């Protein structure tokens, strides 16, 4: 059990900045995201695209913004839990009990939902017979690469993840069949070239402009896949395991079950504290709704600042929470780890 002041659901730009605003006020946070890297939409959907409307930064890419936010929260020793979805948020005693699908448990005095457009989940394969397969036979994430040693592997997809794993698992698996719905790959050139090298020596077979239509199994264990291509050819391939990389799509998921006042796929909040219908649970960034809401990063940053003040006040109800400036506040300098001669 991890005990903390605040658990933040989502490590997108707003969740990351929430860590900073809480840290300035002396509050400790744990941040959890269902995907394996921080940055939310910025790193998942547009890492290389330029953003022009972050105050004080004329232009930066989604990835650069994420890197800067991570640098900015370095002084605050945040607990970062990636690749885990928060499934349970429940009021308990005078705080909250929080649980992830990976079995992590937290108790916190407050929760901030910064879940954007929802938790990014792998896009599922649709094929006849899929519902009968066991979890080992069909996977959307790679666990220990050694589990594929000596196996006949099918990898589906044509982006970075699919190609990276073809190249990494090529020398480990007995053989890999790569199935892609196009004949052009969206991975970096060097990875495509490495995949072609493995194909040339026979470790990898590609079936392009193609889709898997049927899966056969023996008592839940995958045995064979049927693949059809655009030229109406059909291939029957014997396989032991299948890895699917069709990208990620957001889903509101478990948040809908936390008893909050939901407005379509967003959470209603007030504009003073950004608190939801459950006192002590706040919502900031793209996930919240209030009159005049704009889904912009800079709006989420403002919401994070006000939510932090509200949380501080909730945790210390008898003290007045004063605004202090980072330029001049000695206590903030201490929290930021700023040394005397840097002031
Ligand atoms: P997100 O970035 O969506 O992050 C939320 C995170 O929460 C995700 O990583 C998700 O996996 C995680 N999560 C959700 N549920 C759970 C759960 N139950 N457990 C664990 N984790 C969970 N905005 C601008 O201001 N300027 C721009 O120029 C701009 N350009 C854009 C370009 C594109 C192509 C797109 C798609 C968006 C753009 N935006 C821009 C919008 C901006 O990206 C969003 O406003 C911003 O990402 C919202 O940040 P967030 O932290 O609220 O949520």
């Amino acid at each position: 059990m991890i005990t903390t002041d605040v658990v933040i659901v989502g490590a997108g730009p707003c969740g990351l900045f929430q860590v900073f605003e809480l840290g300035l006020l002396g509050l400790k946070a744990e941040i959890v995201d269902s995907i394996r890297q921080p940055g939310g939409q910025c790193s998942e959907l547009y890492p290389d695209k330029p953003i022009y409307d972050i105050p004080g930064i004329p232009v930066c890419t989604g990835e650069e913004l994420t890197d800067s936010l991570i640098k900015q929260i370095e002084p605050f020793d945040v607990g970062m839990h990636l690749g885990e979805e928060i499934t349970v948020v429940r009021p308990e005693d005078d705080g909250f009990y929080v649980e992830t699908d990976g079995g992590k448990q937290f108790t916190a005095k407050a929760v901030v939902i910064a879940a954007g457009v929802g938790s990014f989940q792998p896009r599922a394969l649709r094929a006849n017979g899929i519902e009968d397969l066991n979890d080992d036979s069909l996977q959307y994430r790679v666990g220990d690469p050694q589990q594929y040693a000596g196996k006949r592997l099918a990898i589906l997809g044509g982006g970075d993840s699919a190609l990276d794993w073809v190249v990494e698992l090529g020398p480990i698996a007995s053989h890999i069949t790569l199935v892609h719905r196009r004949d052009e790959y969206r991975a970096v050139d060097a990875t495509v070239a490495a995949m072609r090298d493995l194909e040339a020596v026979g470790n990898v077979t590609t079936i392009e402009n193609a889709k898997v239509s049927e899966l056969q199994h023996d008592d839940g264990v995958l045995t064979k896949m049927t693949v059809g291509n655009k030229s109406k050819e059909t291939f029957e391939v014997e396989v032991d395991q299948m890895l699917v990389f069709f990208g990620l799509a957001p889903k509101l998921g478990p948040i809908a079950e936390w008893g909050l006042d939901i407005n379509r796929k967003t959470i209603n909040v007030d504009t003073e504290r950004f608190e939801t219908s459950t006192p002590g649970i706040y919502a900031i960034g793209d996930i919240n709704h209030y009159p005049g809401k704009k889904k912009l990063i800079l709006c989420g940053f403002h919401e994070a600042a006000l939510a932090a003040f509200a949380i501080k006040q909730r945790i210390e109800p008898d003290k007045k929470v004063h605004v202090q400036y980072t330029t001049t506040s000695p206590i903030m300098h201490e929290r930021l780890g700023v040394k005397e001669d840097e002031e």
Side-chain angles (χ1 to χ4, degrees):
M1 181 78 75
I2 299 171
T3 302
T4 188
D5 290 322
V6 183
V7 170
I8 302 170
V9 185
C14 302
L16 293 174
F17 195 63
Q18 185 69 74
V19 173
F20 182 77
E21 287 296 320
L22 291 166
L24 280 184
L25 297 179
L27 298 177
K28 171 96 173 74
E30 301 286 321
I31 189 164
V32 184
D33 205 298
S34 53
I35 47 176
R36 285 173 191 273
Q37 86 264 343
Q41 294 171 55
C42 299
S43 55
E44 188 56 41
L45 300 182
Y46 57 101
D48 303 321
K49 284 203 165 62
I51 309 173
Y52 298 99
D53 58 348
I54 303 299
I57 304 176
V59 60
C60 67
T61 64
E63 191 174 358
E64 285 164 352
L65 177 65
T66 305
D67 290 347
S68 299
L69 286 164
I70 288 171
K71 176 107 193 93
Q72 197 168 19
I73 62 174
E74 264 171 16
F76 297 125
D77 186 29
V78 62
M80 181 96 69
H81 311 268
L82 300 174
E84 301 206 33
E85 183 178 45
I86 294 192
T87 47
V88 178
V89 172
R90 192 171 63 221
E92 198 175 76
D93 302 327
D94 54 353
F96 296 91
Y97 169 80
V98 177
E99 196 179 292
T100 71
D101 60 353
K104 285 211 180 109
Q105 298 174 316
F106 305 85
T107 55
K109 295 170 190 154
V111 172
V112 177
I113 303 175
V117 282
S119 153
F120 284 101
Q121 307 283 342
R123 281 202 178 87
L125 167 71
R126 285 193 209 148
N128 291 334
I130 195 167
E131 58 287 344
D132 300 323
L133 293 184
N134 66 25
D135 291 347
D136 265 358
S137 294
L138 177 75
Q139 300 177 351
Y140 292 93
R141 281 184 184 145
V142 173
D144 175 9
Q146 284 310 320
Q147 69 180 290
Y148 311 109
K151 298 276 177 63
R152 296 166 300 182
L153 209 55
I155 294 188
L156 277 51
D160 283 314
S161 301
L163 274 279
D164 282 351
W165 285 116
V166 167
V167 170
E168 183 147 348
L169 299 177
I172 298 174
S174 80
H175 186 265
I176 295 178
T177 306
L178 173 64
V179 183
H180 181 33
R181 66 194 165 108
R182 300 208 173 92
D183 54 8
E184 280 179 10
Y185 293 88
R186 282 171 288 109
V188 293
D189 292 348
T191 316
V192 178
M195 179 275 284
R196 292 294 183 205
D197 288 346
L198 288 168
E199 189 180 23
V201 295
N203 281 18
V204 170
T205 304
T206 56
I207 309 181
E208 293 168 343
N209 294 317
K211 282 183 183 166
V212 171
S213 58
E214 188 167 351
L215 301 168
Q216 291 176 41
H217 68 99
D218 181 5
D219 206 14
V221 178
L222 179 64
T223 52
K224 202 184 267 184
M225 65 177 177
T226 308
V227 187
N229 68 11
K230 274 190 187 156
S231 316
K232 306 252 185 286
E233 290 169 301
T234 303
F235 305 89
E236 300 263 317
V237 185
E238 293 191 348
V239 278
D240 304 311
Q241 272 176 309
M242 178 174 279
L243 285 163
V244 179
F245 300 105
F246 287 169
L248 300 169
K251 280 205 183 105
L252 191 57
I255 296 169
E257 288 147 35
W258 298 344
L260 305 169
D261 181 12
I262 302 270
N263 182 335
R264 298 199 179 167
K265 287 184 175 172
T266 56
I267 304 170
N268 284 326
V269 292
D270 67 77
T271 49
E272 185 185 347
R273 297 178 303 272
F274 295 93
E275 198 167 30
T276 67
S277 55
T278 301
I281 303 185
Y282 302 77
I284 63 158
D286 278 13
I287 192 82
N288 74 12
H289 180 77
Y290 52 85
K293 169 71 185 179
K294 301 286 176 282
K295 291 189 180 184
L296 287 171
I297 296 166
L298 77 96
C299 297
F301 287 171
H302 159 79
E303 295 160 13
L306 292 203
F309 276 96
I311 293 168
K312 180 79 171 171
Q313 194 67 79
R314 177 186 165 81
I315 293 176
E316 296 174 9
D318 300 330
K319 284 192 192 161
K320 181 145 177 45
V321 187
H322 295 285
V323 170
Q324 298 187 56
Y325 296 132
T326 55
T327 35
T328 50
S329 163
I331 181 89
M332 283 186 169
H333 287 180
E334 197 183 316
R335 288 170 184 155
L336 286 165
V338 177
K339 295 195 185 72
E340 285 292 311
D341 53 6
E342 290 175 48
E343 289 179 21

